[in-house]
Amino acid sequence: MPTQQPVTVRVFQQCFSSTRKAARLARLLAVHQLHEWGVPYGSDSSDIAALIVAELAANAITHGRVPGRDFELRLAIDALGLLRIEVTDARTERRLPPPPPLTPPTDLETGRGLLLVEALAETWGVTERQVGKKVWATLRTAATGAG
């Protein structure tokens, strides 16, 4: 009977203040952490993850912000290179967003972020929490196994 290889999962988790500067820092720290895990700076996987983190963090500070409460970024990558990106916020009274329209109105300057996440992520979704919500996305990386 073949033995199953254990799946190693590496996790990074950090809370950030709900500000634009913190959302930028979340993206930078995510890319740095991925590099430490064997997903090199400037690789397609790193760049895509950076875009997804940037969008989810921007949404958390724009639509999920509660004064005095942070948002949280969590990254988890398994031994096979499957990355899960999660951003949680504390906004309780906002319901889960409807799926984005296939084509947002052309006269709006916003509203395309989740379309970007949809296009770049392998899967994504929203999970309600006791307080707030968690928006997550998965991405297959070409991690080199370092870390």
Side-chain angles (χ1 to χ4, degrees):
M1 177 176 203
T3 59
Q4 184 176 1
Q5 294 290 339
V7 176
T8 302
V9 177
R10 295 181 183 108
V11 176
F12 170 84
Q13 193 165 330
Q14 180 72 47
C15 287
F16 297 90
S17 60
S18 292
T19 64
R20 287 183 181 170
K21 185 181 273 189
R24 181 176 179 268
L25 179 60
R27 178 181 56 81
L28 294 171
L29 286 177
V31 169
H32 175 76
Q33 185 61 60
L34 290 174
H35 183 76
E36 292 293 313
W37 287 341
V39 180
Y41 293 117
S43 66
D44 287 346
S45 295
S46 177
D47 290 349
I48 290 169
L51 286 169
I52 291 172
V53 169
E55 180 53 38
L56 298 184
N59 281 351
I61 66 163
T62 303
H63 305 295
R65 183 175 186 278
V66 173
R69 296 218 179 139
D70 299 337
F71 75 92
E72 181 179 86
L73 169 67
R74 182 177 186 276
L75 306 173
I77 192 167
D78 67 20
L80 302 175
L82 182 64
L83 172 65
R84 182 174 172 102
I85 301 166
E86 299 175 351
V87 175
T88 59
D89 67 50
R91 193 74 181 247
T92 303
E93 68 278 8
R94 293 239 175 135
R95 304 302 300 161
L96 299 178
L102 293 177
T103 321
T106 56
D107 58 337
L108 294 180
E109 293 183 12
T110 62
R112 292 169 179 79
L114 289 178
L115 287 173
L116 181 66
V117 171
E118 170 103 20
L120 296 174
E122 192 169 300
T123 59
W124 77 279
V126 182
T127 306
E128 287 192 62
R129 302 175 50 214
Q130 181 104 15
V131 175
K133 64 188 163 301
K134 176 190 312 180
V135 184
W136 56 269
T138 62
L139 171 65
R140 182 76 48 198
T141 69
T144 61

